[in-house]
Amino acid sequence: MSEAASARKPARERILDTAAELFYREGIRAVGIDTIIAKSGVAKMSLYRNFTSKDDLVCAYLERSIAQHGAWWDRVVARHPGDPRAQMKALFVALAHWIDHPKFQGCPFTSAAAELRDPDNPARALALAHKRMVRDRLHRLAVAAGADDPDRLCAQLQLLMEGAYAAGRALDLGPGNDAVASAAAILIDAACGQARP
Amino acid sequence: MSEAASARKPARERILDTAAELFYREGIRAVGIDTIIAKSGVAKMSLYRNFTSKDDLVCAYLERSIAQHGAWWDRVVARHPGDPRAQMKALFVALAHWIDHPKFQGCPFTSAAAELRDPDNPARALALAHKRMVRDRLHRLAVAAGADDPDRLCAQLQLLMEGAYAAGRALDLGPGNDAVASAAAILIDAACGQARP
DNA sequence: GCGATGGTAGAGACAGGTCTGTATCATTGT
DNA sequence: ACAATGATACAGACCTGTCTCTACCATCGC
């Protein structure tokens, strides 16, 4: 009856896998502890022995997502070594693909921050810190690409990135939509000058 | 004890005012019926006599917000009659101002859709229908402004709009930030050609 | 070999709180 | 007197987190 392959992973991993999928797909507040333990086939006490609270589990989910997002970013920029302008554009092309994925449900960090509005919530702090990290990474790329005003390009691109996440979930941009990548290319070229094609 | 001025409006309006403020500021799921009746100084049964359920109250909140947003849009475009390109740019300038407002908490419709993920939820349907309406309005402006590819410009601008809402809440773009308006201007000019300054 | 031991995990009851929605009764303004 | 409203208690559901009891399974002493 149990899911053959994953049934023999340690309980902690099964819990985190299940929680990540449910939190992302249905929302953090909408998913209760009981649902997670039922779906992961784990005892309630196994959950509370591995995580001190639901908040703690949410933080673990976000931390893992941050690591995965960082790895994704690194993979994309590694395809254009030494070419920051191409790296920026490639990030938006990859983002456009991700948005088209059937399991796409928006940015998990934006969603978490939207659901958990208490300024003291540690999960919220994690999500916002990640946004700042993305901002810093974009800023370094903008500087390296020789943008006239790196602050402005960085802000514009992060706007576009957030917009792609939000629009990909709420609207349906339709498959093959090139608005994300084309808008990014226009903004990047406008900020860096048309020098060297 | 009660808030002098608003205390003498009919119960239904006081409920809706309070609910709108709380739903927007703290989130729909985070605000319970008891909080709304306590803050609006109304009896629970007065709420349930005016609204059949919390869902019904949420729908009323969103419908009123949709009407207010439509009025805001009309006011902005009315300042540039017969000039769709200026109308589009003015919308983003106005949006940038709104984002800087201390009470700004993101797009209420995006937030509602993020919190209420059940596809059958009527409030979710209202929020998504509103996004489609905005898309249609933008599309008409893009056509009127003579964009080469109105579909693409419309999609790009709605991406930017969603991004401005999301980024204005999660990130702090800082006051006087011109990323929203400048990005919109670049995209609009790129799509409509530089003809007639 | 082989039984004892200890760590890990499943199952489920339970406590205490919050939430929505209903019912009842008192109050107030006209 | 009457309709609208305030106050309050309550039912039923759900949620988090604790507790107990049992089963399994490895390792270790012998």
Side-chain angles (χ1 to χ4, degrees):
Chain A
M1 193 71 73
S2 49
E3 309 88 288
S6 70
R8 280 312 89 201
K9 285 160 82 172
R12 183 187 166 90
E13 280 185 51
R14 270 183 292 160
I15 294 167
L16 200 44
D17 288 347
T18 306
E21 182 190 329
L22 292 177
F23 283 159
Y24 181 61
R25 196 177 65 215
E26 307 188 9
I28 292 171
R29 296 187 71 118
V31 175
I33 291 292
D34 287 345
T35 307
I36 295 171
I37 64 168
K39 202 134 188 173
S40 57
V42 128
K44 202 176 235 188
M45 274 316 290
S46 298
L47 191 154
Y48 280 103
R49 269 190 292 262
N50 283 285
F51 305 94
T52 66
S53 64
K54 183 184 177 183
D55 267 5
D56 188 36
L57 175 59
V58 174
C59 285
Y61 150 61
L62 289 180
E63 278 164 2
R64 206 176 67 163
S65 300
I66 288 172
Q68 290 168 346
H69 180 265
W72 168 85
W73 186 292
D74 291 340
R75 276 198 309 276
V76 173
V77 302
R79 291 202 289 261
H80 302 275
D83 188 346
R85 193 194 285 214
Q87 288 172 335
M88 284 191 287
K89 291 185 182 179
L91 282 166
F92 284 88
V93 171
L95 178 57
H97 287 144
W98 166 223
I99 284 172
D100 275 340
H101 193 285
K103 286 191 178 177
F104 176 79
Q105 285 285 339
C107 171
F109 314 108
T110 302
S111 298
E115 287 197 271
L116 312 171
R117 304 214 193 166
D118 175 5
D120 297 335
N121 189 303
R124 179 184 178 83
L126 273 177
L128 298 190
H130 175 65
K131 293 292 182 196
R132 286 192 294 273
M133 199 192 68
V134 168
R135 185 186 189 77
D136 290 344
R137 285 187 168 205
L138 269 180
H139 193 268
R140 280 196 291 275
L141 286 178
V143 170
D148 298 334
D149 184 345
D151 287 351
R152 176 195 264 194
L153 177 59
C154 160
Q156 289 175 338
L157 291 182
Q158 198 165 19
L159 279 183
L160 193 60
M161 203 171 261
E162 290 294 323
Y165 281 127
R169 176 178 51 183
L171 291 33
D172 44 0
L173 298 173
N177 184 293
D178 68 341
V180 181
S182 63
I186 291 171
L187 293 174
I188 291 166
D189 288 337
C192 301
Q194 308 293 0
R196 51 220 298 254
Chain B
M1 194 72 72
S2 50
E3 308 88 291
S6 69
R8 279 314 88 202
K9 287 159 83 173
R12 182 186 167 91
E13 280 184 50
R14 268 182 294 160
I15 295 167
L16 199 46
D17 287 347
T18 305
E21 182 191 330
L22 291 177
F23 283 159
Y24 182 61
R25 195 176 67 215
E26 307 190 8
I28 292 171
R29 297 188 69 119
V31 175
I33 291 292
D34 287 345
T35 307
I36 295 171
I37 64 168
K39 201 135 188 172
S40 58
V42 129
K44 201 176 235 189
M45 275 315 289
S46 297
L47 190 155
Y48 279 103
R49 269 188 291 261
N50 282 284
F51 304 95
T52 66
S53 65
K54 184 184 177 181
D55 267 5
D56 187 36
L57 175 58
V58 174
C59 285
Y61 151 61
L62 288 180
E63 278 164 1
R64 207 177 63 162
S65 300
I66 288 172
Q68 290 168 346
H69 180 265
W72 168 83
W73 185 292
D74 291 339
R75 274 200 310 276
V76 173
V77 302
R79 292 204 288 262
H80 302 274
D83 188 347
R85 194 195 284 213
Q87 287 173 335
M88 284 191 285
K89 293 184 181 179
L91 283 166
F92 284 87
V93 172
L95 177 57
H97 287 143
W98 166 223
I99 284 171
D100 275 340
H101 192 283
K103 286 191 179 175
F104 176 78
Q105 286 284 339
C107 172
F109 314 108
T110 302
S111 298
E115 287 197 271
L116 312 170
R117 305 214 193 166
D118 175 6
D120 298 335
N121 188 302
R124 179 183 177 83
L126 273 177
L128 298 190
H130 174 65
K131 293 291 183 198
R132 285 192 294 274
M133 199 191 69
V134 168
R135 185 185 190 77
D136 290 344
R137 284 186 170 208
L138 270 180
H139 193 267
R140 279 197 293 274
L141 285 178
V143 170
D148 299 334
D149 185 344
D151 286 351
R152 177 194 263 195
L153 177 59
C154 159
Q156 290 175 338
L157 291 183
Q158 197 165 19
L159 279 183
L160 192 60
M161 203 170 262
E162 290 293 324
Y165 280 127
R169 176 178 50 185
L171 292 33
D172 44 358
L173 298 174
N177 185 291
D178 69 341
V180 180
S182 63
I186 292 171
L187 293 173
I188 291 166
D189 288 338
C192 300
Q194 308 294 3
R196 49 210 317 239

PDB file of all heavy atoms in Angstrom, chain A residues 149-185:
ATOM      1  N   ASP A 149      22.909  52.261 -14.953  1.00  0.00           N
ATOM      2  CA  ASP A 149      22.402  52.462 -13.590  1.00  0.00           C
ATOM      3  C   ASP A 149      22.036  51.087 -13.021  1.00  0.00           C
ATOM      4  O   ASP A 149      20.898  50.639 -13.145  1.00  0.00           O
ATOM      5  CB  ASP A 149      21.175  53.378 -13.642  1.00  0.00           C
ATOM      6  CG  ASP A 149      20.645  53.713 -12.254  1.00  0.00           C
ATOM      7  OD1 ASP A 149      21.035  53.029 -11.282  1.00  0.00           O
ATOM      8  OD2 ASP A 149      19.854  54.661 -12.140  1.00  0.00           O
ATOM      9  N   PRO A 150      22.994  50.406 -12.415  1.00  0.00           N
ATOM     10  CA  PRO A 150      22.751  49.020 -11.969  1.00  0.00           C
ATOM     11  C   PRO A 150      21.605  48.909 -10.970  1.00  0.00           C
ATOM     12  O   PRO A 150      20.848  47.938 -11.004  1.00  0.00           O
ATOM     13  CB  PRO A 150      24.081  48.631 -11.317  1.00  0.00           C
ATOM     14  CG  PRO A 150      25.089  49.585 -11.834  1.00  0.00           C
ATOM     15  CD  PRO A 150      24.361  50.853 -12.116  1.00  0.00           C
ATOM     16  N   ASP A 151      21.483  49.886 -10.081  1.00  0.00           N
ATOM     17  CA  ASP A 151      20.385  49.848  -9.118  1.00  0.00           C
ATOM     18  C   ASP A 151      19.037  49.790  -9.828  1.00  0.00           C
ATOM     19  O   ASP A 151      18.161  49.005  -9.479  1.00  0.00           O
ATOM     20  CB  ASP A 151      20.423  51.085  -8.210  1.00  0.00           C
ATOM     21  CG  ASP A 151      21.551  51.021  -7.209  1.00  0.00           C
ATOM     22  OD1 ASP A 151      22.188  49.954  -7.114  1.00  0.00           O
ATOM     23  OD2 ASP A 151      21.803  52.030  -6.533  1.00  0.00           O
ATOM     24  N   ARG A 152      18.922  50.640 -10.834  1.00  0.00           N
ATOM     25  CA  ARG A 152      17.638  50.701 -11.522  1.00  0.00           C
ATOM     26  C   ARG A 152      17.375  49.409 -12.314  1.00  0.00           C
ATOM     27  O   ARG A 152      16.290  48.854 -12.243  1.00  0.00           O
ATOM     28  CB  ARG A 152      17.610  51.893 -12.466  1.00  0.00           C
ATOM     29  CG  ARG A 152      16.331  51.943 -13.275  1.00  0.00           C
ATOM     30  CD  ARG A 152      16.449  52.904 -14.450  1.00  0.00           C
ATOM     31  NE  ARG A 152      15.890  54.201 -14.101  1.00  0.00           N
ATOM     32  CZ  ARG A 152      15.623  55.136 -15.013  1.00  0.00           C
ATOM     33  NH1 ARG A 152      15.886  54.928 -16.280  1.00  0.00           N
ATOM     34  NH2 ARG A 152      15.112  56.274 -14.655  1.00  0.00           N
ATOM     35  N   LEU A 153      18.364  48.930 -13.029  1.00  0.00           N
ATOM     36  CA  LEU A 153      18.159  47.699 -13.800  1.00  0.00           C
ATOM     37  C   LEU A 153      17.829  46.540 -12.862  1.00  0.00           C
ATOM     38  O   LEU A 153      16.924  45.738 -13.130  1.00  0.00           O
ATOM     39  CB  LEU A 153      19.404  47.370 -14.626  1.00  0.00           C
ATOM     40  CG  LEU A 153      19.304  46.052 -15.402  1.00  0.00           C
ATOM     41  CD1 LEU A 153      18.118  46.076 -16.361  1.00  0.00           C
ATOM     42  CD2 LEU A 153      20.597  45.761 -16.169  1.00  0.00           C
ATOM     43  N   CYS A 154      18.553  46.469 -11.777  1.00  0.00           N
ATOM     44  CA  CYS A 154      18.304  45.402 -10.813  1.00  0.00           C
ATOM     45  C   CYS A 154      16.869  45.469 -10.293  1.00  0.00           C
ATOM     46  O   CYS A 154      16.168  44.459 -10.226  1.00  0.00           O
ATOM     47  CB  CYS A 154      19.318  45.540  -9.672  1.00  0.00           C
ATOM     48  SG  CYS A 154      18.854  44.722  -8.167  1.00  0.00           S
ATOM     49  N   ALA A 155      16.405  46.664  -9.955  1.00  0.00           N
ATOM     50  CA  ALA A 155      15.033  46.814  -9.453  1.00  0.00           C
ATOM     51  C   ALA A 155      14.023  46.451 -10.535  1.00  0.00           C
ATOM     52  O   ALA A 155      13.032  45.759 -10.274  1.00  0.00           O
ATOM     53  CB  ALA A 155      14.804  48.249  -8.970  1.00  0.00           C
ATOM     54  N   GLN A 156      14.299  46.901 -11.763  1.00  0.00           N
ATOM     55  CA  GLN A 156      13.377  46.582 -12.859  1.00  0.00           C
ATOM     56  C   GLN A 156      13.292  45.070 -13.080  1.00  0.00           C
ATOM     57  O   GLN A 156      12.207  44.516 -13.267  1.00  0.00           O
ATOM     58  CB  GLN A 156      13.847  47.271 -14.151  1.00  0.00           C
ATOM     59  CG  GLN A 156      13.657  48.780 -14.134  1.00  0.00           C
ATOM     60  CD  GLN A 156      14.249  49.430 -15.363  1.00  0.00           C
ATOM     61  OE1 GLN A 156      15.126  48.869 -16.028  1.00  0.00           O
ATOM     62  NE2 GLN A 156      13.782  50.634 -15.670  1.00  0.00           N
ATOM     63  N   LEU A 157      14.440  44.421 -13.051  1.00  0.00           N
ATOM     64  CA  LEU A 157      14.443  42.981 -13.323  1.00  0.00           C
ATOM     65  C   LEU A 157      13.782  42.209 -12.181  1.00  0.00           C
ATOM     66  O   LEU A 157      13.098  41.206 -12.419  1.00  0.00           O
ATOM     67  CB  LEU A 157      15.873  42.489 -13.545  1.00  0.00           C
ATOM     68  CG  LEU A 157      16.521  42.979 -14.840  1.00  0.00           C
ATOM     69  CD1 LEU A 157      17.917  42.385 -14.996  1.00  0.00           C
ATOM     70  CD2 LEU A 157      15.665  42.624 -16.058  1.00  0.00           C
ATOM     71  N   GLN A 158      13.983  42.664 -10.961  1.00  0.00           N
ATOM     72  CA  GLN A 158      13.315  41.941  -9.878  1.00  0.00           C
ATOM     73  C   GLN A 158      11.802  42.168  -9.922  1.00  0.00           C
ATOM     74  O   GLN A 158      11.027  41.267  -9.613  1.00  0.00           O
ATOM     75  CB  GLN A 158      13.881  42.337  -8.508  1.00  0.00           C
ATOM     76  CG  GLN A 158      13.510  41.295  -7.449  1.00  0.00           C
ATOM     77  CD  GLN A 158      14.319  41.404  -6.183  1.00  0.00           C
ATOM     78  OE1 GLN A 158      14.917  42.410  -5.889  1.00  0.00           O
ATOM     79  NE2 GLN A 158      14.324  40.335  -5.399  1.00  0.00           N
ATOM     80  N   LEU A 159      11.393  43.347 -10.346  1.00  0.00           N
ATOM     81  CA  LEU A 159       9.967  43.580 -10.578  1.00  0.00           C
ATOM     82  C   LEU A 159       9.427  42.565 -11.574  1.00  0.00           C
ATOM     83  O   LEU A 159       8.382  41.938 -11.374  1.00  0.00           O
ATOM     84  CB  LEU A 159       9.736  44.971 -11.153  1.00  0.00           C
ATOM     85  CG  LEU A 159       9.706  46.170 -10.236  1.00  0.00           C
ATOM     86  CD1 LEU A 159       9.384  47.405 -11.055  1.00  0.00           C
ATOM     87  CD2 LEU A 159       8.676  45.965  -9.164  1.00  0.00           C
ATOM     88  N   LEU A 160      10.165  42.442 -12.665  1.00  0.00           N
ATOM     89  CA  LEU A 160       9.728  41.533 -13.717  1.00  0.00           C
ATOM     90  C   LEU A 160       9.686  40.089 -13.215  1.00  0.00           C
ATOM     91  O   LEU A 160       8.759  39.320 -13.538  1.00  0.00           O
ATOM     92  CB  LEU A 160      10.702  41.656 -14.897  1.00  0.00           C
ATOM     93  CG  LEU A 160      10.273  41.026 -16.199  1.00  0.00           C
ATOM     94  CD1 LEU A 160       8.983  41.650 -16.691  1.00  0.00           C
ATOM     95  CD2 LEU A 160      11.377  41.213 -17.245  1.00  0.00           C
ATOM     96  N   MET A 161      10.672  39.736 -12.423  1.00  0.00           N
ATOM     97  CA  MET A 161      10.738  38.386 -11.881  1.00  0.00           C
ATOM     98  C   MET A 161       9.534  38.105 -10.969  1.00  0.00           C
ATOM     99  O   MET A 161       8.842  37.088 -11.100  1.00  0.00           O
ATOM    100  CB  MET A 161      12.046  38.269 -11.092  1.00  0.00           C
ATOM    101  CG  MET A 161      12.568  36.878 -10.921  1.00  0.00           C
ATOM    102  SD  MET A 161      14.245  36.909 -10.212  1.00  0.00           S
ATOM    103  CE  MET A 161      15.253  36.704 -11.678  1.00  0.00           C
ATOM    104  N   GLU A 162       9.270  39.027 -10.074  1.00  0.00           N
ATOM    105  CA  GLU A 162       8.109  38.868  -9.194  1.00  0.00           C
ATOM    106  C   GLU A 162       6.820  38.833 -10.009  1.00  0.00           C
ATOM    107  O   GLU A 162       5.902  38.074  -9.715  1.00  0.00           O
ATOM    108  CB  GLU A 162       8.053  40.021  -8.187  1.00  0.00           C
ATOM    109  CG  GLU A 162       9.144  39.990  -7.147  1.00  0.00           C
ATOM    110  CD  GLU A 162       9.012  38.792  -6.216  1.00  0.00           C
ATOM    111  OE1 GLU A 162       7.879  38.417  -5.878  1.00  0.00           O
ATOM    112  OE2 GLU A 162      10.053  38.218  -5.847  1.00  0.00           O
ATOM    113  N   GLY A 163       6.779  39.654 -11.017  1.00  0.00           N
ATOM    114  CA  GLY A 163       5.585  39.684 -11.856  1.00  0.00           C
ATOM    115  C   GLY A 163       5.381  38.374 -12.584  1.00  0.00           C
ATOM    116  O   GLY A 163       4.252  37.895 -12.720  1.00  0.00           O
ATOM    117  N   ALA A 164       6.472  37.792 -13.043  1.00  0.00           N
ATOM    118  CA  ALA A 164       6.354  36.517 -13.740  1.00  0.00           C
ATOM    119  C   ALA A 164       5.806  35.446 -12.794  1.00  0.00           C
ATOM    120  O   ALA A 164       4.924  34.666 -13.157  1.00  0.00           O
ATOM    121  CB  ALA A 164       7.721  36.102 -14.278  1.00  0.00           C
ATOM    122  N   TYR A 165       6.316  35.428 -11.573  1.00  0.00           N
ATOM    123  CA  TYR A 165       5.801  34.470 -10.594  1.00  0.00           C
ATOM    124  C   TYR A 165       4.316  34.692 -10.337  1.00  0.00           C
ATOM    125  O   TYR A 165       3.513  33.765 -10.344  1.00  0.00           O
ATOM    126  CB  TYR A 165       6.568  34.610  -9.276  1.00  0.00           C
ATOM    127  CG  TYR A 165       7.915  33.943  -9.260  1.00  0.00           C
ATOM    128  CD1 TYR A 165       9.054  34.640  -8.901  1.00  0.00           C
ATOM    129  CD2 TYR A 165       8.043  32.601  -9.580  1.00  0.00           C
ATOM    130  CE1 TYR A 165      10.297  34.026  -8.858  1.00  0.00           C
ATOM    131  CE2 TYR A 165       9.277  31.978  -9.541  1.00  0.00           C
ATOM    132  CZ  TYR A 165      10.398  32.691  -9.183  1.00  0.00           C
ATOM    133  OH  TYR A 165      11.619  32.075  -9.146  1.00  0.00           O
ATOM    134  N   ALA A 166       3.957  35.930 -10.103  1.00  0.00           N
ATOM    135  CA  ALA A 166       2.561  36.229  -9.755  1.00  0.00           C
ATOM    136  C   ALA A 166       1.637  35.968 -10.936  1.00  0.00           C
ATOM    137  O   ALA A 166       0.582  35.336 -10.793  1.00  0.00           O
ATOM    138  CB  ALA A 166       2.442  37.684  -9.295  1.00  0.00           C
ATOM    139  N   ALA A 167       2.034  36.429 -12.099  1.00  0.00           N
ATOM    140  CA  ALA A 167       1.165  36.306 -13.257  1.00  0.00           C
ATOM    141  C   ALA A 167       1.059  34.860 -13.716  1.00  0.00           C
ATOM    142  O   ALA A 167       0.014  34.418 -14.176  1.00  0.00           O
ATOM    143  CB  ALA A 167       1.679  37.186 -14.394  1.00  0.00           C
ATOM    144  N   GLY A 168       2.159  34.129 -13.573  1.00  0.00           N
ATOM    145  CA  GLY A 168       2.124  32.733 -13.991  1.00  0.00           C
ATOM    146  C   GLY A 168       1.135  31.917 -13.197  1.00  0.00           C
ATOM    147  O   GLY A 168       0.631  30.902 -13.666  1.00  0.00           O
ATOM    148  N   ARG A 169       0.843  32.355 -11.986  1.00  0.00           N
ATOM    149  CA  ARG A 169      -0.113  31.611 -11.186  1.00  0.00           C
ATOM    150  C   ARG A 169      -1.529  32.139 -11.349  1.00  0.00           C
ATOM    151  O   ARG A 169      -2.464  31.378 -11.578  1.00  0.00           O
ATOM    152  CB  ARG A 169       0.278  31.683  -9.711  1.00  0.00           C
ATOM    153  CG  ARG A 169      -0.726  31.004  -8.807  1.00  0.00           C
ATOM    154  CD  ARG A 169      -0.272  31.063  -7.385  1.00  0.00           C
ATOM    155  NE  ARG A 169       0.093  32.444  -7.016  1.00  0.00           N
ATOM    156  CZ  ARG A 169       0.586  32.792  -5.851  1.00  0.00           C
ATOM    157  NH1 ARG A 169       0.817  31.878  -4.954  1.00  0.00           N
ATOM    158  NH2 ARG A 169       0.864  34.048  -5.591  1.00  0.00           N
ATOM    159  N   ALA A 170      -1.679  33.455 -11.247  1.00  0.00           N
ATOM    160  CA  ALA A 170      -3.030  34.012 -11.224  1.00  0.00           C
ATOM    161  C   ALA A 170      -3.632  34.102 -12.627  1.00  0.00           C
ATOM    162  O   ALA A 170      -4.785  33.770 -12.848  1.00  0.00           O
ATOM    163  CB  ALA A 170      -3.017  35.390 -10.560  1.00  0.00           C
ATOM    164  N   LEU A 171      -2.815  34.584 -13.562  1.00  0.00           N
ATOM    165  CA  LEU A 171      -3.293  34.663 -14.946  1.00  0.00           C
ATOM    166  C   LEU A 171      -2.860  33.389 -15.641  1.00  0.00           C
ATOM    167  O   LEU A 171      -2.085  32.616 -15.117  1.00  0.00           O
ATOM    168  CB  LEU A 171      -2.620  35.852 -15.641  1.00  0.00           C
ATOM    169  CG  LEU A 171      -2.969  37.263 -15.216  1.00  0.00           C
ATOM    170  CD1 LEU A 171      -3.284  37.387 -13.749  1.00  0.00           C
ATOM    171  CD2 LEU A 171      -1.812  38.182 -15.572  1.00  0.00           C
ATOM    172  N   ASP A 172      -3.358  33.168 -16.830  1.00  0.00           N
ATOM    173  CA  ASP A 172      -2.706  32.154 -17.629  1.00  0.00           C
ATOM    174  C   ASP A 172      -2.111  32.822 -18.850  1.00  0.00           C
ATOM    175  O   ASP A 172      -2.822  33.274 -19.734  1.00  0.00           O
ATOM    176  CB  ASP A 172      -3.630  31.004 -17.996  1.00  0.00           C
ATOM    177  CG  ASP A 172      -4.983  31.477 -18.441  1.00  0.00           C
ATOM    178  OD1 ASP A 172      -5.191  32.717 -18.456  1.00  0.00           O
ATOM    179  OD2 ASP A 172      -5.813  30.674 -18.803  1.00  0.00           O
ATOM    180  N   LEU A 173      -0.811  32.887 -18.840  1.00  0.00           N
ATOM    181  CA  LEU A 173      -0.114  33.533 -19.946  1.00  0.00           C
ATOM    182  C   LEU A 173      -0.113  32.649 -21.182  1.00  0.00           C
ATOM    183  O   LEU A 173       0.187  33.095 -22.276  1.00  0.00           O
ATOM    184  CB  LEU A 173       1.322  33.851 -19.544  1.00  0.00           C
ATOM    185  CG  LEU A 173       1.439  34.816 -18.368  1.00  0.00           C
ATOM    186  CD1 LEU A 173       2.876  34.957 -17.925  1.00  0.00           C
ATOM    187  CD2 LEU A 173       0.872  36.164 -18.755  1.00  0.00           C
ATOM    188  N   GLY A 174      -0.449  31.396 -20.998  1.00  0.00           N
ATOM    189  CA  GLY A 174      -0.468  30.487 -22.130  1.00  0.00           C
ATOM    190  C   GLY A 174       0.916  29.964 -22.430  1.00  0.00           C
ATOM    191  O   GLY A 174       1.908  30.647 -22.192  1.00  0.00           O
ATOM    192  N   PRO A 175       0.997  28.752 -22.959  1.00  0.00           N
ATOM    193  CA  PRO A 175       2.303  28.173 -23.270  1.00  0.00           C
ATOM    194  C   PRO A 175       2.943  28.927 -24.428  1.00  0.00           C
ATOM    195  O   PRO A 175       2.263  29.533 -25.251  1.00  0.00           O
ATOM    196  CB  PRO A 175       1.955  26.738 -23.662  1.00  0.00           C
ATOM    197  CG  PRO A 175       0.547  26.803 -24.131  1.00  0.00           C
ATOM    198  CD  PRO A 175      -0.117  27.893 -23.349  1.00  0.00           C
ATOM    199  N   GLY A 176       4.263  28.897 -24.442  1.00  0.00           N
ATOM    200  CA  GLY A 176       4.962  29.587 -25.525  1.00  0.00           C
ATOM    201  C   GLY A 176       4.931  31.089 -25.397  1.00  0.00           C
ATOM    202  O   GLY A 176       5.344  31.816 -26.297  1.00  0.00           O
ATOM    203  N   ASN A 177       4.463  31.561 -24.269  1.00  0.00           N
ATOM    204  CA  ASN A 177       4.445  33.012 -24.083  1.00  0.00           C
ATOM    205  C   ASN A 177       5.864  33.535 -23.907  1.00  0.00           C
ATOM    206  O   ASN A 177       6.635  33.012 -23.122  1.00  0.00           O
ATOM    207  CB  ASN A 177       3.608  33.342 -22.848  1.00  0.00           C
ATOM    208  CG  ASN A 177       3.467  34.834 -22.658  1.00  0.00           C
ATOM    209  OD1 ASN A 177       4.416  35.522 -22.374  1.00  0.00           O
ATOM    210  ND2 ASN A 177       2.256  35.317 -22.854  1.00  0.00           N
ATOM    211  N   ASP A 178       6.176  34.593 -24.609  1.00  0.00           N
ATOM    212  CA  ASP A 178       7.547  35.099 -24.550  1.00  0.00           C
ATOM    213  C   ASP A 178       7.629  36.456 -23.869  1.00  0.00           C
ATOM    214  O   ASP A 178       8.636  37.140 -23.975  1.00  0.00           O
ATOM    215  CB  ASP A 178       8.121  35.196 -25.961  1.00  0.00           C
ATOM    216  CG  ASP A 178       7.414  36.291 -26.759  1.00  0.00           C
ATOM    217  OD1 ASP A 178       6.299  36.680 -26.357  1.00  0.00           O
ATOM    218  OD2 ASP A 178       7.983  36.762 -27.758  1.00  0.00           O
ATOM    219  N   ALA A 179       6.576  36.830 -23.173  1.00  0.00           N
ATOM    220  CA  ALA A 179       6.564  38.170 -22.579  1.00  0.00           C
ATOM    221  C   ALA A 179       7.682  38.332 -21.552  1.00  0.00           C
ATOM    222  O   ALA A 179       8.333  39.376 -21.487  1.00  0.00           O
ATOM    223  CB  ALA A 179       5.203  38.451 -21.929  1.00  0.00           C
ATOM    224  N   VAL A 180       7.907  37.297 -20.750  1.00  0.00           N
ATOM    225  CA  VAL A 180       8.909  37.407 -19.689  1.00  0.00           C
ATOM    226  C   VAL A 180      10.289  37.626 -20.291  1.00  0.00           C
ATOM    227  O   VAL A 180      10.983  38.608 -19.990  1.00  0.00           O
ATOM    228  CB  VAL A 180       8.924  36.135 -18.819  1.00  0.00           C
ATOM    229  CG1 VAL A 180       9.955  36.274 -17.717  1.00  0.00           C
ATOM    230  CG2 VAL A 180       7.552  35.869 -18.236  1.00  0.00           C
ATOM    231  N   ALA A 181      10.688  36.707 -21.148  1.00  0.00           N
ATOM    232  CA  ALA A 181      12.038  36.796 -21.696  1.00  0.00           C
ATOM    233  C   ALA A 181      12.207  38.034 -22.566  1.00  0.00           C
ATOM    234  O   ALA A 181      13.256  38.694 -22.529  1.00  0.00           O
ATOM    235  CB  ALA A 181      12.354  35.530 -22.493  1.00  0.00           C
ATOM    236  N   SER A 182      11.196  38.377 -23.343  1.00  0.00           N
ATOM    237  CA  SER A 182      11.351  39.531 -24.234  1.00  0.00           C
ATOM    238  C   SER A 182      11.418  40.822 -23.435  1.00  0.00           C
ATOM    239  O   SER A 182      12.222  41.713 -23.746  1.00  0.00           O
ATOM    240  CB  SER A 182      10.204  39.571 -25.243  1.00  0.00           C
ATOM    241  OG  SER A 182       8.954  39.737 -24.597  1.00  0.00           O
ATOM    242  N   ALA A 183      10.606  40.928 -22.397  1.00  0.00           N
ATOM    243  CA  ALA A 183      10.652  42.141 -21.584  1.00  0.00           C
ATOM    244  C   ALA A 183      12.019  42.269 -20.916  1.00  0.00           C
ATOM    245  O   ALA A 183      12.606  43.362 -20.865  1.00  0.00           O
ATOM    246  CB  ALA A 183       9.538  42.120 -20.533  1.00  0.00           C
ATOM    247  N   ALA A 184      12.523  41.144 -20.399  1.00  0.00           N
ATOM    248  CA  ALA A 184      13.838  41.204 -19.756  1.00  0.00           C
ATOM    249  C   ALA A 184      14.903  41.644 -20.753  1.00  0.00           C
ATOM    250  O   ALA A 184      15.760  42.493 -20.446  1.00  0.00           O
ATOM    251  CB  ALA A 184      14.198  39.835 -19.168  1.00  0.00           C
ATOM    252  N   ALA A 185      14.857  41.100 -21.959  1.00  0.00           N
ATOM    253  CA  ALA A 185      15.862  41.456 -22.951  1.00  0.00           C
ATOM    254  C   ALA A 185      15.800  42.943 -23.288  1.00  0.00           C
ATOM    255  O   ALA A 185      16.838  43.613 -23.404  1.00  0.00           O
ATOM    256  CB  ALA A 185      15.662  40.608 -24.212  1.00  0.00           C
TER     257      ALA A 185
END
